[in-house]
Structures are given as C-alpha cells and as structure tokens.
C-alpha cells in the first residue's frame, strides 16, 4: 500500500519554523501505522525548498513534473 500527500502548504509568515517537517513526519508515522509500505508526495521540480525538505527526510524523486504555461498567458 502507498500513502499519498497531495499538498503541503504553510503560510509565508509561518515558514522556516519546522511546520512542514513536522507535518511530513506525522504523515510518515500515520501512514506506517495504517499499513502503508511507502509515502508519496506530489511536488513540482521547481519547488526547491520543498524538494530540499523531502530529501532531508530521506525521500527521493521517483518522477518529475511541472506545470505547463500557455504561451499567451
């Protein structure tokens, strides 16, 4: 089984205080206790801060994705 975190969002005024780290650690515990074999999180390749956090938690990129922007946007 796989548990998935679709989005982690911390308001700007609360960033750099360990909240996202705490949420992900809690999600890891919860998913393990629920019987999941792995924890997956969706994050764009451009989100350097999030990718650094997940790497520091021992996660690795499995695939990459990005948003496509219409040329006339």
């Amino acid at each position: 089984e796989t548990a998935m975190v679709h989005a982690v969002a911390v308001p700007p005024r609360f960033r750099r205080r360990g909240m996202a780290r705490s949420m992900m650690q809690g999600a890891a515990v919860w998913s393990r206790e629920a019987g999941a074999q792995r924890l997956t999180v969706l994050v764009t390749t451009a989100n350097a801060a999030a990718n650094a956090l997940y790497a520091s938690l021992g996660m690795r990129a499995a695939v990459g994705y990005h948003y496509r922007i219409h040329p006339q946007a």
Side-chain angles (χ1 to χ4, degrees):
E1 296 234 3
T2 300
M4 179 177 281
V5 174
H6 186 332
V8 175
V10 176
R13 70 180 185 270
F14 295 112
R15 291 181 185 159
R16 308 293 306 163
R17 298 184 188 183
M19 291 182 174
R21 177 177 298 280
S22 179
M23 286 190 280
M24 289 305 298
Q25 289 170 329
V29 169
W30 175 85
S31 63
R32 200 174 312 116
E33 289 175 353
Q37 302 273 327
R38 66 187 62 80
L39 177 62
T40 301
V41 61
L42 296 176
V43 61
T44 63
T45 54
N47 192 337
N51 284 302
L53 168 66
Y54 302 138
S56 76
L57 292 169
M59 301 179 93
R60 63 176 175 77
V63 297
Y65 83 96
H66 63 277
Y67 291 106
R68 295 179 188 212
I69 299 172
H70 192 280
Q72 296 176 352

